[in-house]
Amino acid sequence: MQLDDSDGALDSWARFCALSGELVGGAGDLSVGPRLAPVVADLCARGLATLVRDYFLHNLEETFRNNAVRMFWQKFHPYSSSSAVERIKFCVQESWPEDVLSAALEDICLEKSYQEKCVLVLAHALQSYEEKAQNRKLKAVECSSSLMPRYQLMVSSVLLTTLPLSFPEILNVYFKKKLEELNTMVDASDENDQLVSHELFGQSNVSAWDSKMDIDSQEKVISESCTLVKNIGKVVRDFRCLGFTSMTEDSYSSAIIWLLKSKVYELAGDDYRIPVLGSVKKWIQVVPLQFLHALLTYLGDSVDYDSGLSGLKSPLASRPSSFPGIGVPSQALLRWHMRLEYFAYETLQDLRIGKLFEIIVDYPESSPAIEDLKQCLEYTGQHSKLVDSFISSLRYRLLTAGASTNDILHQYVSTIKALRSIDPTGVFLEAVGEPIRDYLRGRKDTIKCIVTMLTDGSGGNTSGGNAGDNLLEELNRDAENQENADYDDHTNIDEKQAWLNSESWEPDPVEADPLKGSRSRRKIDILGLMVSIIGSKDQLVNEYRVMLAEKLLSKSDFDIDSDIRTLELLKIHFGESSMQKCEIMLNDLIDSKRTNSNIKTSLLNAPGTVAGQEEAEISHDVLDATIISSNFWPPIQTEDLAVPASVDKLLSNFAQRFHQIKTPRKLLWKKNLGTVKLELQFEDRSMQFTVVPVQAAIIMRFQEKPSWTSKALATEIGIPVDSLNRRIGFWTSKGVLTESVGPDADDHIFTIVDSMSDVNKNSIVNESCEAFQMNEDEGESSVASVEEQLKKEMTVYEKFIIGMLTNFGNMTLDKIHNTLKMFCAEPSYDKSLQQLQSFLSGLVSDEKLEMRDGLYLLKK
């Protein structure tokens, strides 16, 4: 713009520039105001009001930038220009950055305050001219009203455009330190006054604020921290004046969130036996909300809940109750309360989800942690995060080759119980449990471990219940509780309650299986889930039958009370018809006890008993026979064994008397089964043993002569030489026999040891032999396993399978299964898909078949 000097415009402009320089620059002189007003009026009258305003603001900006802003940022330059390690040294200084911030804010606010007065001087001059122009009805541009807002915008713009990158970090450090100091003051106050600090900051399980809280003590805490809050408020207010409102709020918000997160981590820790959610919520009310209430009140931002702005409150919020030391909170404080509580729920939830594997391992001792997690998930709704994280933990830590099947099953049962507490509908249990079930189906010992866990009094109930109870009894009590709950749901309900229930109905989560109704999910049957791993209850029953037969045949007495109790519980779950054979097996032992007593009584009262005993040299009282109904027992492993003549005589007398009492039934002895209690007497010692019949037959032969060769002894007893060498190792390991090389390298000589002088010569070797022998004995079963029985039963179908593969070339597992079901009439094919797959795997191992890309074909 060019000014025409004909009417003195240039002279007025020069005087305005000079007066502005006196007012803004140098030492500053507010007394130039009266002299500035007529010059401004003259320029405005010439239509130069906008130019006057812009020039004045530009002059202020240059002065503010070159003086106040440059000095302000220079105070933070040592931190901004330092390395990461040096910055840590700054942060650990007690008074940093408070001293630097206070000094810098004081200087720049003084400069800004003076410049605001300068702006008011010009605004007053412009306003005076505008008022005169309106009175004279002259045209005038209104500049006075926009002068102060434009100046405020200029100040914030200059500061933000020159802002160092490290300054937000400095603000975060300041607010973190101040809030830590406030938290320490509250903690110290609670300890000194012996307040209920245990309830405020300790491990409390109360979810609501205790009405007995000493309010005076809380007021004392606030009064002691009043100075601290005022200092913080002054800093916040000064930064707001400089245009840092958003940055300042973000800084103290992140500091509060950081402190809350630290508190949650501190309270939660690795102790899962104590609830922490209630303590966290109380701490939120004591420290962050008290601070925010004092800060917002100091800044004048506190608005009553019932004020005219109530329409802006969250639709999720009902009218709040009073907070301790605060009363009815303002809308801003209420929003903060909701925000902090949500963050606390989410942080604790993430902590517990990350440690869910350990929590479930410790269940039910970790029930408080599970309850906290349940409340957090109800608040946040992030159930899918739990499912994804826990499945990942399972695959990484549990579903591995290094984990035993027994450990996996116990973890699965604990998972069912824990997740049932979190989600009674069972929706998320379906998702979490599927990887475990799929993995367990691929393990060969899964069925055996399930049966052992269900029936073993120590293995199935390690984490709760009464001592000696097995998992089956625990599950039965659990099922009764669920049945009672369902009964109450259906019976103890009136129309009013039914209507209320219908109003509170909620649909199943989106993750729910649509094929299952809500009612079926509510009743989570742990035993049913265990059976679903196997695929069929018949397989579990068969495995239990084999294990029961092993257990009964190894008993040296007839105490079967615990087995009867277990059978009755299994009958509840699987039905009486499925357990009929097992019931007959137990009845056989009951009958055996009664029959043994009758036979011994009859033999004792029979004429010539004493003479018979002298001939046999063994009393009938030492014999207890387990008499079984072979048609109802699993196939028994038999082995030829020639027992000593005295024992054979004893068995013959017992069998004869049984035939007389139970005509026409006869006994067929399984001489390789049972247990024998022996007492061996030597020259200088006496030893007692409980051994199997084969080992007893071996040592009793040494009554006839002190030394035997392995071949001669094996022929005498009637067992193979390799079996003899395996069994006789027990006696050599105990120092009863010694072994030496015979004339033939394969024919060793065994000699009885009458004296202890040479027993310990090979003690190390003997101990290793004993351990080996015990493992061998454990590996030899008296009853054919389920796999052996299945292989024997499936052998009849082998020729059908070979024929099908010869005709069709290759077939899938499903096609073989369906073809056998369709065409095998004699014998009828009634096996499951899993059983067929197991049999085909055996044929592949025997190299009769091979498998390629899921297809079975004949081995070439």
Side-chain angles (χ1 to χ4, degrees):
M1 176 182 292
Q2 294 182 352
L3 298 178
D4 187 2
D5 193 37
S6 60
D7 55 357
L10 287 176
D11 184 52
S12 296
W13 179 255
R15 285 194 299 158
F16 171 73
C17 292
L19 292 173
S20 297
E22 291 183 34
L23 180 63
V24 176
D29 185 7
L30 294 175
S31 62
V32 301
R35 290 179 289 157
L36 183 66
V39 177
V40 170
D42 182 53
L43 292 173
C44 290
R46 301 174 185 273
L48 301 177
T50 303
L51 180 62
V52 168
R53 179 195 64 188
D54 292 344
Y55 175 82
F56 191 81
L57 289 177
H58 177 73
N59 200 0
L60 287 174
E61 179 181 348
E62 290 298 319
T63 305
F64 189 71
R65 183 192 301 273
N66 295 329
N67 297 332
V69 174
R70 181 176 56 83
M71 295 177 61
F72 182 76
W73 294 132
Q74 279 182 349
K75 289 183 170 60
F76 304 103
H77 181 70
Y79 180 86
S80 302
S81 60
S82 60
S83 63
V85 177
E86 293 173 339
R87 290 184 180 185
I88 296 176
K89 296 179 181 179
F90 277 100
C91 294
V92 297
Q93 296 177 17
E94 183 177 357
S95 59
W96 191 93
E98 181 180 6
D99 292 347
V100 178
L101 271 177
S102 299
L105 285 173
E106 183 178 1
D107 292 343
I108 198 171
C109 287
L110 285 175
E111 179 68 20
K112 180 175 178 293
S113 177
Y114 176 77
Q115 288 198 353
E116 287 176 346
K117 293 178 181 178
C118 295
V119 171
L120 291 176
V121 169
L122 179 62
H124 178 70
L126 290 172
Q127 187 176 7
S128 298
Y129 170 76
E130 291 169 1
E131 291 175 354
K132 292 179 181 179
Q134 288 178 358
N135 293 333
R136 298 176 183 178
K137 297 182 180 181
L138 299 175
K139 185 178 180 181
V141 179
E142 292 188 7
C143 295
S144 60
S145 60
S146 63
L147 191 59
M148 186 61 73
R150 287 173 68 91
Y151 172 76
Q152 297 290 353
L153 180 61
M154 178 272 295
V155 169
S156 61
S157 299
V158 171
L159 285 169
L160 289 175
T161 53
T162 57
L163 178 75
L165 295 177
S166 61
F167 187 70
E169 183 179 340
I170 296 173
L171 278 183
N172 285 335
V173 173
Y174 170 77
F175 286 113
K176 283 182 181 180
K177 283 191 171 184
K178 292 286 107 179
L179 285 172
E180 279 184 330
E181 185 179 347
L182 179 63
N183 185 38
T184 303
M185 290 173 60
V186 175
D187 283 339
S189 176
D190 286 345
E191 292 175 1
N192 295 334
D193 296 339
Q194 294 184 349
L195 290 176
V196 283
S197 60
H198 174 75
E199 296 181 3
L200 288 175
F201 298 100
Q203 313 298 329
S204 175
N205 58 357
V206 183
S207 59
W209 187 269
D210 191 347
S211 61
K212 297 180 181 180
M213 179 67 65
D214 190 345
I215 301 299
D216 293 337
S217 299
Q218 291 301 313
E219 292 176 352
K220 181 181 179 181
V221 173
I222 299 300
S223 63
E224 289 178 352
S225 60
C226 183
T227 303
L228 176 64
V229 175
K230 284 183 178 180
N231 291 337
I232 298 174
K234 184 177 183 302
V235 171
V236 174
R237 183 190 61 193
D238 290 345
F239 274 117
R240 281 187 173 187
C241 293
L242 296 175
F244 286 93
T245 301
S246 178
M247 183 183 298
T248 307
E249 290 181 356
D250 289 343
S251 295
Y252 71 70
S253 297
S254 63
I256 292 172
I257 295 298
W258 170 82
L259 186 63
L260 173 57
K261 187 175 183 178
S262 301
K263 192 66 179 181
V264 172
Y265 274 70
E266 174 190 338
L267 293 176
D270 293 329
D271 189 357
Y272 313 122
R273 298 170 297 176
I274 302 173
V276 300
L277 188 58
S279 300
V280 173
K281 293 168 68 176
K282 290 176 182 179
W283 180 86
I284 289 174
Q285 292 183 341
V286 172
V287 179
L289 287 183
Q290 294 282 7
F291 164 73
L292 288 168
H293 172 67
L295 179 63
L296 295 176
T297 303
Y298 180 84
L299 297 173
D301 291 347
S302 181
V303 181
D304 292 339
Y305 184 84
D306 295 323
S307 67
L309 298 176
S310 60
L312 300 177
K313 63 178 179 288
S314 170
L316 299 176
S318 58
R319 179 177 178 83
S321 57
S322 298
F323 287 170
I326 296 176
V328 179
S330 64
Q331 292 183 39
L333 196 64
L334 182 61
R335 286 194 295 270
W336 264 108
H337 182 229
M338 295 173 64
R339 178 183 176 186
L340 292 175
E341 279 206 343
Y342 184 88
F343 183 80
Y345 277 106
E346 189 174 37
T347 303
L348 182 59
Q349 161 203 286
D350 293 343
L351 266 179
R352 292 308 187 214
I353 288 177
K355 295 289 185 179
L356 187 57
F357 187 88
E358 291 84 355
I359 292 173
I360 290 180
V361 169
D362 294 339
Y363 192 83
E365 284 80 7
S366 59
S367 297
I370 291 292
E371 184 60 30
D372 280 348
L373 179 57
K374 177 184 178 182
Q375 294 183 42
C376 292
L377 290 172
E378 289 175 351
Y379 197 88
T380 63
Q382 298 177 3
H383 293 81
S384 57
K385 183 184 292 186
L386 178 146
V387 173
D388 296 339
S389 175
F390 189 57
I391 288 177
S392 177
S393 297
L394 288 175
R395 287 176 174 162
Y396 179 72
R397 303 181 59 180
L398 185 67
L399 306 182
T400 62
S404 67
T405 305
N406 194 53
D407 290 340
I408 296 175
L409 285 169
H410 278 85
Q411 181 75 353
Y412 182 45
V413 172
S414 297
T415 300
I416 294 172
K417 296 176 183 177
L419 292 186
R420 185 174 57 188
S421 300
I422 295 175
D423 174 32
T425 64
V427 172
F428 304 105
L429 177 61
E430 293 175 9
V432 169
E434 191 60 34
I436 304 178
R437 292 192 292 269
D438 290 342
Y439 183 81
L440 286 171
R441 291 187 187 107
R443 290 213 171 188
K444 295 182 179 180
D445 60 339
T446 298
I447 302 178
K448 184 176 292 186
C449 289
I450 290 176
V451 174
T452 302
M453 189 170 63
L454 288 173
T455 58
D456 185 5
S458 60
N461 193 40
T462 58
S463 60
N466 301 322
D469 287 357
N470 53 41
L471 179 62
L472 190 63
E473 291 175 308
E474 183 184 348
L475 298 184
N476 188 61
R477 290 194 299 268
D478 183 71
E480 288 178 355
N481 294 335
Q482 289 203 48
E483 289 290 347
N484 294 336
D486 289 342
Y487 177 79
D488 292 340
D489 288 346
H490 286 92
T491 57
N492 301 332
I493 187 171
D494 53 19
E495 291 186 4
K496 181 179 180 181
Q497 185 61 41
W499 180 255
L500 293 175
N501 292 345
S502 65
E503 288 183 337
S504 61
W505 174 87
E506 293 182 359
D508 288 331
V510 294
E511 296 87 354
D513 186 351
L515 299 178
K516 295 184 178 181
S518 299
R519 178 65 58 180
S520 65
R521 289 195 191 92
R522 280 192 55 193
K523 185 179 178 182
I524 301 175
D525 181 11
I526 299 181
L527 184 58
L529 293 173
M530 304 289 280
V531 173
S532 69
I533 298 174
I534 304 171
S536 168
K537 72 174 184 179
D538 294 335
Q539 291 179 263
L540 188 143
V541 170
N542 289 336
E543 185 65 40
Y544 170 71
R545 183 164 158 256
V546 170
M547 294 183 64
L548 178 62
E550 284 274 7
K551 188 175 182 180
L552 296 180
L553 291 176
S554 63
K555 281 184 175 293
S556 58
D557 54 22
F558 298 100
D559 183 13
I560 56 172
D561 291 342
S562 62
D563 301 292
I564 293 175
R565 183 175 58 181
T566 300
L567 178 64
E568 292 300 321
L569 293 174
L570 287 172
K571 287 164 65 176
I572 294 174
H573 289 276
F574 298 123
E576 294 190 8
S577 59
S578 299
M579 310 304 299
Q580 184 178 15
K581 290 184 178 181
C582 298
E583 188 172 12
I584 293 175
M585 291 163 60
L586 291 174
N587 287 333
D588 283 345
L589 258 72
I590 297 174
D591 293 340
S592 296
K593 183 178 181 180
R594 183 169 54 251
T595 301
N596 274 276
S597 177
N598 292 338
I599 291 177
K600 290 178 182 179
T601 302
S602 63
L603 288 174
L604 183 63
N605 297 330
T609 300
V610 176
Q613 288 181 0
E614 289 176 355
E615 181 182 354
E617 296 183 353
I618 300 178
S619 171
H620 290 95
D621 292 335
V622 302
L623 177 62
D624 286 316
T626 300
I627 305 168
I628 66 175
S629 305
S630 58
N631 291 335
F632 298 95
W633 285 63
I636 305 298
Q637 304 280 20
T638 59
E639 182 181 8
D640 294 334
L641 179 65
V643 299
S646 57
V647 177
D648 191 54
K649 180 65 175 178
L650 178 65
L651 297 178
S652 299
N653 291 341
F654 192 95
Q656 184 180 0
R657 181 61 65 179
F658 176 82
H659 179 64
Q660 293 174 359
I661 296 175
K662 298 285 189 177
T663 304
R665 299 172 62 187
K666 294 183 179 181
L667 288 181
L668 180 61
W669 291 104
K670 304 289 186 182
K671 297 179 181 179
N672 62 306
L673 303 180
T675 57
V676 181
K677 295 181 180 179
L678 295 176
E679 182 178 356
L680 305 183
Q681 295 182 351
F682 303 93
E683 293 179 358
D684 56 352
R685 68 193 189 282
S686 177
M687 304 175 70
Q688 294 182 348
F689 298 95
T690 299
V691 295
V692 295
V694 176
Q695 293 169 341
I698 290 172
I699 200 62
M700 290 182 72
R701 292 296 177 180
F702 285 87
Q703 294 183 106
E704 302 173 8
K705 58 179 182 178
S707 295
W708 289 83
T709 64
S710 57
K711 291 182 179 179
L713 187 57
T715 303
E716 188 72 16
I717 298 176
I719 61 176
V721 176
D722 58 343
S723 178
L724 173 76
N725 292 332
R726 191 170 65 251
R727 301 301 184 89
I728 204 171
F730 173 80
W731 296 115
T732 59
S733 68
K734 298 299 181 182
V736 177
L737 299 177
T738 59
E739 182 180 1
S740 60
V741 180
D744 187 357
D746 297 333
D747 194 12
H748 292 196
I749 298 175
F750 296 95
T751 306
I752 195 76
V753 179
D754 287 329
S755 175
M756 289 289 292
S757 59
D758 298 329
V759 170
N760 296 324
K761 288 183 179 180
N762 299 319
S763 59
I764 298 178
V765 176
N766 290 339
E767 289 176 4
S768 61
C769 292
E770 179 183 356
F772 173 77
Q773 184 61 35
M774 290 175 65
N775 289 335
E776 287 292 327
D777 288 342
E778 290 175 0
E780 295 182 3
S781 173
S782 57
V783 180
S785 65
V786 174
E787 291 79 7
E788 292 172 341
Q789 296 178 47
L790 175 63
K791 185 175 182 180
K792 184 177 180 180
E793 293 173 2
M794 291 289 293
T795 302
V796 297
Y797 304 111
E798 183 177 343
K799 60 181 181 180
F800 290 99
I801 296 172
I802 299 296
M804 285 189 294
L805 294 177
T806 302
N807 293 331
F808 294 103
N810 53 62
M811 299 177 69
T812 62
L813 176 65
D814 290 334
K815 189 173 182 180
I816 296 174
H817 181 65
N818 294 330
T819 305
L820 287 174
K821 288 175 64 176
M822 187 179 301
F823 295 106
C824 283
E826 287 294 335
S828 177
Y829 177 77
D830 57 354
K831 306 303 177 185
S832 66
L833 196 64
Q834 290 82 3
Q835 291 173 324
L836 175 62
Q837 185 178 19
S838 177
F839 178 69
L840 293 177
S841 299
L843 294 180
V844 172
S845 300
D846 296 339
E847 297 188 351
K848 295 180 180 180
L849 302 179
E850 60 179 316
M851 184 179 180
R852 297 177 189 170
D853 301 328
L855 298 174
Y856 291 93
L857 61 155
L858 293 175
K859 184 76 173 181
K860 295 181 181 180

